[in-house]
Amino acid sequence: MRKILVANRGEIAFRIMRTARKMGIKTVAVYSEADRQSPHVKFADEAVLLGPAPSSESYLVMDKIIKAAKDTGAEGIHPGYGFLSENAIFAQIVEDAGITFIGPKPHAIQVMGNKLAAKEAVRDYDIPMVPGIEEAITDVALAEKIANEIGFPILIKAAAGGGGKGMRVVENNKELPEQMNRAISEAEAAFGDGSVFIEKYVGSPRHIEIQVLADTHGNIVHLFERECSVQRRHQKVVEEAPSAVLTPAIREKMGDAAIKVAKACDYVGAGTVEFLLDENKNFYFLEMNTRLQVEHPVSELISGIDLVEQQIKVARGEKLEFAQKDLKITGHALEVRVYAEDSLADFMPSIGTLSTYQTPVGEGIRVDDGFEEGMEVPIYYDPMISKLITYGKNRDEAIQLMIEAIDNYKVEGISTTLPFGKFVCEHEAFTSGKFDTHFVKNFYSPEELEKKYAEERKIAAVVGLQLYLENQKNLKTAKAVSSNWQKSRT
């Protein structure tokens, strides 16, 4: 594979291309009119314009991407994440065109792309699952019967969904009809599929996911876990590896379960198996993401494995060069997603021009981004502008380095979630490791962030005054010295 096309944009396209170049592989960028000046377009060996800014006219148009690959002689297509990365039809079209899809086979994407089908696939592998019904329903009366059997609160979830869409927590029978209708309606709007199912709601869960790698020769390994419990609107915002709460025994059990899930769908490539962990450290299978995850860098840092490199090697038919026994956790990694959102205004999108954009640098600091100073943040796509990652020999060091990196990340022209990221890293619940998926609901509010700002401004003012007074004390005045210069002039 001498040339690949990256069917994505922004930071993930740029990140994939950097590894490809390191491997001696040429890259083709595709871009919309809004991304004409993006770093990934400039970095690639070739670039092809797909069309207007809306993704429905550019990044989601399969025929245009296939044509771009054929026209440039690309032998493989890497989908990144988002857009067409988990579209089984696209994966099949790529294969039918005689091009290598750098990802799992269409069958695995299709099975794991539907939560109910995924549960059915792993049923015979003795993997723990949250109590509930494992079939799609629309009948409110049947939903009430099931809910009363498993006990409230329950969670209504879209079978074809993700990102929190089509998801509703229901506390009692009275709420059920309205919440179920809302979930069905939202699922239809978001995924074109209104099927929903019901699970027991786990009250104080942690969101733990396991990174897996599988080749085409039957070898499967896991690269340990990622903790992704700090979320807002069911979207991850802070991730770390390893988790602060997993014991070696639980880690091994979850890793084994993740490998079984991969076996259940004949998985190849890099994938992520997601679990809920309750307050008693019981874990339950949620779903499998059949692509590279946004938070993959933290797994790369603690394992020393370049996941994109492994994806490409697996797609070329190569065997994994390591076994499970060869892998170990070294150090601790933390990732903060930097969104173009206003943390003080309910995380509303903040669109504008990056009049100042300076990223932090230093040992243990990694920034995956796709923007440069002077660029506009377009309204058409996901508002994430970068991923800020830190790595230390332990968790405390990684957190402290993250706080310092956030302070040295200079962005003007838009609002970002950097202040929120710092709020998380400095909060006692996070630093102690005693948090769950309700962190934002329990601890964060714009008022809390404003209060923290006020405290920091007060401290800065006090320090500034102290420095000024110290300088006043030490201020030297020139000593009067008599001179004969004036006399010599007369």
Side-chain angles (χ1 to χ4, degrees), residues 141-152 154 172-173 176 198:
L142 177 58
E144 286 182 351
K145 179 177 181 295
I146 297 162
N148 286 316
E149 287 175 359
I150 64 176
F152 286 98
I154 61 163
N172 52 57
N173 276 316
L176 187 57
I198 290 175

Side-chain angles (χ1 to χ4, degrees), residues 310-451:
Q310 295 304 315
Q311 284 184 299
I312 294 171
K313 286 183 173 182
V314 167
R316 293 195 303 207
E318 298 179 28
K319 288 184 178 181
L320 294 179
E321 299 168 344
F322 43 84
Q324 193 65 54
K325 62 181 176 59
D326 302 317
L327 298 169
K328 65 176 183 177
I329 297 172
T330 303
H332 197 97
L334 184 65
E335 176 179 295
V336 168
R337 301 190 189 189
V338 184
Y339 286 98
E341 296 176 342
D342 190 345
S343 306
L344 297 175
D346 196 30
F347 298 102
M348 292 296 291
S350 178
I351 307 303
T353 301
L354 295 168
S355 55
T356 298
Y357 187 73
Q358 299 168 12
T359 58
V361 294
E363 186 178 353
I365 297 173
R366 168 176 164 177
V367 180
D368 286 12
D369 67 356
F371 285 90
E372 295 173 343
E373 192 167 280
M375 286 180 62
E376 275 196 29
V377 178
I379 198 169
Y380 306 99
Y381 315 114
D382 183 273
M384 191 177 74
I385 60 176
S386 74
K387 302 177 304 198
L388 176 59
I389 310 107
T390 57
Y391 175 76
K393 62 179 180 289
N394 55 48
R395 188 170 187 264
D396 290 342
E397 185 175 298
I399 292 173
Q400 183 56 38
L401 189 55
M402 177 62 74
I403 293 168
E404 294 171 8
I406 290 173
D407 285 340
N408 291 315
Y409 204 138
K410 308 300 181 187
V411 182
E412 294 179 4
I414 64 166
S415 296
T416 74
T417 52
L418 283 167
F420 170 75
K422 185 177 180 181
F423 174 91
V424 173
C425 290
E426 293 183 331
H427 199 283
E428 190 274 336
F430 183 76
T431 57
S432 67
K434 298 174 182 177
F435 62 94
D436 56 32
T437 56
H438 303 306
F439 177 93
V440 172
K441 182 177 73 173
N442 291 340
F443 303 115
Y444 176 76
S445 70
E447 293 74 24
E448 284 294 317
L449 189 56
E450 283 280 21
K451 187 167 72 174

